[in-house]
Amino acid sequence: MKTSSTSFKVACLFAIAGLSMGIGMAASQDHTLMPAHAHLNLLGWVSLFLFGVFYRLHPALETSRLAMTQIVVWSVGTAFLTVAVAALHLGHAAFEPVAAVSALLLLGSLGLFSVLVFRSGKLPQPAARVMTAAE
Ligand code: HEM
């Protein structure tokens, strides 16, 4: 599967979970999990969707193993960080190491993404689309 499509699909799954969590918090008037909700939406929905846009704009990266690794590591890091942040705010201090490792996964993934962004100027650009009279 293309990296952009993977990003968009996983981002939608995170958004469904994040919005459901928000609705649950609003309905119960218990905002304890607000930091987990915010991280899930911003890392899982907004950031992942933006990665997808970047990959869609750079077709040479659509089949890149490095780009796919970046997306997978980001998704795993987001899932574990969300669970750890939620657990910590519910008073389970034992989740501290999970939060630390997932934060490092996210940092590593962003490092990888930064390398791809900095290198992207050298990538072959897609051919310009020529409009025909029928269009
Ligand atoms: C169905 C949709 C959503 C619902 C019902 C919802 C609900 C909530 C609730 C109840 C809070 C707690 C507010 C507080 O305690 O002050 C909150 C906080 C937050 N939400 Fe959502 N949310 C939704 C979607 C989103 C989305 C899409 C994003 C980001 C892309 C987002 C980002 C945040 C952030 C960053 C906070 C923390 C705000 C602060 O620190 O004051 N939420 N949300």
Side-chain angles (χ1 to χ4, degrees):
M1 199 190 293
K2 288 180 173 179
T3 42
S4 64
S5 306
T6 307
S7 304
F8 295 146
K9 287 175 185 170
V10 180
C12 284
L13 297 179
F14 278 131
I16 291 169
L19 267 60
S20 303
M21 194 186 258
I23 291 168
M25 287 191 310
S28 64
Q29 296 193 355
D30 178 355
H31 297 181
T32 312
L33 294 181
M34 188 255 278
H37 159 78
H39 282 82
L40 182 55
N41 279 324
L42 295 171
L43 298 172
W45 168 235
V46 181
S47 306
L48 199 52
F49 199 90
L50 289 174
F51 293 144
V53 171
F54 176 79
Y55 292 131
R56 186 59 61 95
L57 288 172
H58 295 85
L61 293 175
E62 287 284 33
T63 51
S64 152
R65 201 174 292 177
L66 218 54
M68 186 58 91
T69 303
Q70 189 267 317
I71 291 301
V72 170
V73 173
W74 186 268
S75 303
V76 171
T78 297
F80 278 97
L81 187 75
T82 302
V83 170
V85 168
L88 287 171
H89 282 269
L90 291 171
H92 304 290
F95 277 79
E96 198 70 64
V98 181
V101 171
S102 39
L104 290 176
L105 283 180
L106 288 163
L107 184 62
S109 173
L110 198 73
L112 204 53
F113 183 67
S114 305
V115 170
L116 295 171
V117 169
F118 278 84
R119 275 194 201 159
S120 62
K122 294 179 197 148
L123 292 172
Q125 298 299 313
R129 198 164 159 271
V130 179
M131 295 275 280
T132 62
E135 290 177 308

Coordinates of all heavy atoms in Angstrom, one line a residue, residues 15-16 18-27 29-35 37-43 45-47, ligand 1:
A15 N -8.6 9.3 14.5 CA -9.6 10.3 14.7 C -10.9 9.8 15.3 O -11.5 10.4 16.2 CB -9.9 11.0 13.4
I16 N -11.3 8.6 14.8 CA -12.6 8.0 15.3 C -12.4 7.7 16.8 O -13.3 8.1 17.6 CB -12.9 6.7 14.6 CG1 -13.3 7.0 13.1 CG2 -14.0 5.9 15.3 CD1 -13.4 5.8 12.2
G18 N -10.2 9.2 18.9 CA -10.0 10.5 19.6 C -11.3 11.3 19.8 O -11.6 11.8 20.8
L19 N -12.2 11.3 18.7 CA -13.4 12.0 18.8 C -14.4 11.2 19.8 O -15.1 11.9 20.6 CB -14.1 12.1 17.4 CG -13.8 13.4 16.7 CD1 -12.3 13.6 16.5 CD2 -14.5 13.6 15.4
S20 N -14.3 9.9 19.7 CA -15.2 9.1 20.6 C -14.8 9.4 22.1 O -15.6 9.6 23.0 CB -15.0 7.6 20.4 OG -15.3 7.3 19.0
M21 N -13.5 9.5 22.3 CA -13.0 9.8 23.7 C -13.5 11.2 24.1 O -13.9 11.4 25.2 CB -11.4 9.8 23.7 CG -10.8 9.7 25.0 SD -9.0 9.9 24.9 CE -8.5 8.2 25.1
G22 N -13.4 12.2 23.2 CA -13.9 13.5 23.5 C -15.4 13.5 23.8 O -15.8 14.2 24.7
I23 N -16.2 12.8 23.0 CA -17.6 12.7 23.3 C -17.9 12.0 24.6 O -18.7 12.5 25.4 CB -18.3 11.9 22.1 CG1 -18.3 12.7 20.8 CG2 -19.8 11.6 22.5 CD1 -18.6 12.0 19.6
G24 N -17.1 11.0 24.9 CA -17.2 10.3 26.2 C -16.9 11.3 27.4 O -17.7 11.3 28.4
M25 N -15.9 12.1 27.2 CA -15.5 13.1 28.3 C -16.6 14.1 28.4 O -17.0 14.5 29.6 CB -14.2 13.8 27.9 CG -13.0 12.9 28.0 SD -11.5 13.9 27.9 CE -11.7 14.9 26.5
A26 N -17.1 14.6 27.3 CA -18.1 15.6 27.3 C -19.4 15.1 28.0 O -20.0 15.7 28.8 CB -18.4 16.1 25.9
A27 N -19.8 13.9 27.6 CA -21.0 13.3 28.1 C -20.9 13.0 29.6 O -21.9 13.2 30.3 CB -21.4 12.0 27.3
Q29 N -18.9 14.4 31.7 CA -18.3 15.6 32.4 C -17.1 15.3 33.2 O -16.9 15.9 34.2 CB -19.4 16.3 33.2 CG -20.6 16.8 32.3 CD -21.5 17.7 33.0 OE1 -21.4 17.9 34.2 NE2 -22.4 18.3 32.3
D30 N -16.4 14.2 32.8 CA -15.2 13.8 33.5 C -14.1 14.0 32.5 O -13.9 13.3 31.5 CB -15.3 12.4 33.9 CG -14.0 11.9 34.6 OD1 -13.0 12.7 34.6 OD2 -13.9 10.7 35.0
H31 N -13.3 15.1 32.7 CA -12.2 15.4 31.7 C -10.8 14.9 32.1 O -9.8 15.4 31.6 CB -12.2 17.0 31.6 CG -13.5 17.5 31.0 ND1 -13.6 18.9 30.7 CD2 -14.6 16.9 30.6 CE1 -14.8 19.1 30.2 NE2 -15.5 17.9 30.1
T32 N -10.8 13.9 33.0 CA -9.5 13.4 33.5 C -8.6 13.0 32.3 O -7.4 13.1 32.3 CB -9.8 12.1 34.3 OG1 -10.7 12.4 35.3 CG2 -8.5 11.7 35.1
L33 N -9.2 12.4 31.2 CA -8.4 11.9 30.1 C -8.1 12.9 29.0 O -7.7 12.6 27.9 CB -9.2 10.7 29.5 CG -9.3 9.4 30.4 CD1 -10.0 8.3 29.7 CD2 -7.9 9.0 30.9
M34 N -8.4 14.2 29.4 CA -8.2 15.2 28.4 C -6.8 15.2 27.7 O -6.7 15.3 26.5 CB -8.5 16.6 29.0 CG -8.5 17.7 28.0 SD -7.1 18.7 28.2 CE -7.5 19.7 29.6
P35 N -5.7 15.0 28.5 CA -4.4 15.0 27.9 C -4.2 13.9 26.9 O -3.6 14.0 25.8 CB -3.4 14.9 29.0 CG -4.2 15.4 30.2 CD -5.6 15.0 30.0
H37 N -6.7 12.4 25.2 CA -7.5 12.8 24.0 C -6.8 13.8 23.1 O -6.8 13.6 21.9 CB -8.8 13.4 24.6 CG -9.6 14.3 23.7 ND1 -10.4 13.8 22.7 CD2 -9.7 15.7 23.6 CE1 -11.0 14.8 22.0 NE2 -10.5 16.0 22.6
A38 N -6.2 14.8 23.8 CA -5.5 15.9 23.0 C -4.3 15.2 22.2 O -4.1 15.5 21.0 CB -5.0 17.0 23.9
H39 N -3.5 14.4 22.9 CA -2.4 13.7 22.2 C -2.9 12.8 21.1 O -2.3 12.8 20.0 CB -1.5 13.0 23.2 CG -0.6 13.8 24.0 ND1 -1.0 14.5 25.1 CD2 0.7 14.2 23.8 CE1 0.0 15.2 25.6 NE2 1.0 15.1 24.8
L40 N -3.9 12.1 21.3 CA -4.4 11.1 20.3 C -4.9 11.9 19.1 O -4.6 11.5 17.9 CB -5.6 10.3 20.9 CG -6.3 9.3 20.0 CD1 -5.3 8.3 19.5 CD2 -7.4 8.6 20.8
N41 N -5.6 13.0 19.3 CA -6.1 13.8 18.1 C -5.0 14.5 17.4 O -4.9 14.5 16.1 CB -7.1 14.8 18.6 CG -8.5 14.2 18.8 OD1 -8.9 13.3 18.0 ND2 -9.2 14.6 19.8
L42 N -4.0 15.1 18.1 CA -3.0 15.9 17.5 C -1.9 15.0 16.8 O -1.4 15.3 15.8 CB -2.5 16.9 18.4 CG -3.5 18.0 18.8 CD1 -3.1 18.9 19.9 CD2 -4.0 18.8 17.6
L43 N -1.5 13.9 17.5 CA -0.5 13.1 16.9 C -1.1 12.1 15.9 O -0.5 11.9 14.9 CB 0.2 12.2 18.0 CG 1.0 13.0 19.1 CD1 1.4 12.0 20.2 CD2 2.2 13.7 18.5
W45 N -4.3 12.0 14.5 CA -5.2 12.5 13.4 C -4.4 13.6 12.6 O -4.1 13.4 11.5 CB -6.5 13.0 14.0 CG -7.4 13.8 13.1 CD1 -7.9 15.1 13.3 CD2 -7.9 13.5 11.8 NE1 -8.6 15.5 12.2 CE2 -8.7 14.5 11.3 CE3 -7.8 12.3 11.0 CZ2 -9.3 14.5 10.1 CZ3 -8.4 12.3 9.7 CH2 -9.1 13.4 9.3
V46 N -4.1 14.7 13.3 CA -3.6 15.9 12.6 C -2.2 15.6 12.0 O -2.0 15.7 10.8 CB -3.5 17.1 13.5 CG1 -3.0 18.3 12.7 CG2 -4.9 17.5 14.0
S47 N -1.2 15.1 12.8 CA 0.1 14.9 12.3 C 0.2 13.9 11.3 O 0.8 14.0 10.2 CB 1.1 14.6 13.5 OG 1.0 15.5 14.5
Ligands
HEM1 C1 -16.2 15.0 18.8 C2 -15.2 15.8 18.8 C3 -14.5 16.3 20.1 C4 -15.1 16.4 21.4 C5 -16.5 16.1 21.8 C6 -14.0 16.9 22.2 C7 -14.2 17.1 23.6 C8 -13.2 17.6 24.4 C9 -13.3 17.9 25.8 C10 -14.6 17.7 26.6 C11 -12.1 18.4 26.2 C12 -11.8 18.9 27.7 C13 -11.9 20.4 27.8 C14 -11.4 20.8 29.2 O1 -11.4 20.0 30.1 O2 -11.1 22.0 29.3 C15 -11.2 18.5 25.1 C16 -10.0 19.0 25.1 C17 -9.1 19.1 24.1 N1 -9.4 18.6 22.8 FE1 -11.1 17.8 22.1 N2 -12.9 17.1 21.5 C18 -13.2 16.7 20.2 C19 -12.3 16.8 19.1 C20 -11.0 17.2 19.1 C21 -10.1 17.3 18.0 C22 -10.4 16.9 16.6 C23 -8.9 17.8 18.5 C24 -7.6 18.1 17.7 C25 -7.4 17.9 16.5 C26 -9.1 18.0 19.9 C27 -8.1 18.6 20.7 C28 -8.3 18.9 22.0 C29 -7.2 19.5 22.8 C30 -5.9 20.0 22.3 C31 -7.8 19.7 24.1 C32 -7.1 20.3 25.3 C33 -7.6 21.7 25.4 C34 -7.0 22.4 26.6 O3 -5.9 22.2 27.1 O4 -7.7 23.3 27.2 N3 -10.3 17.7 20.2 N4 -11.9 18.0 24.0

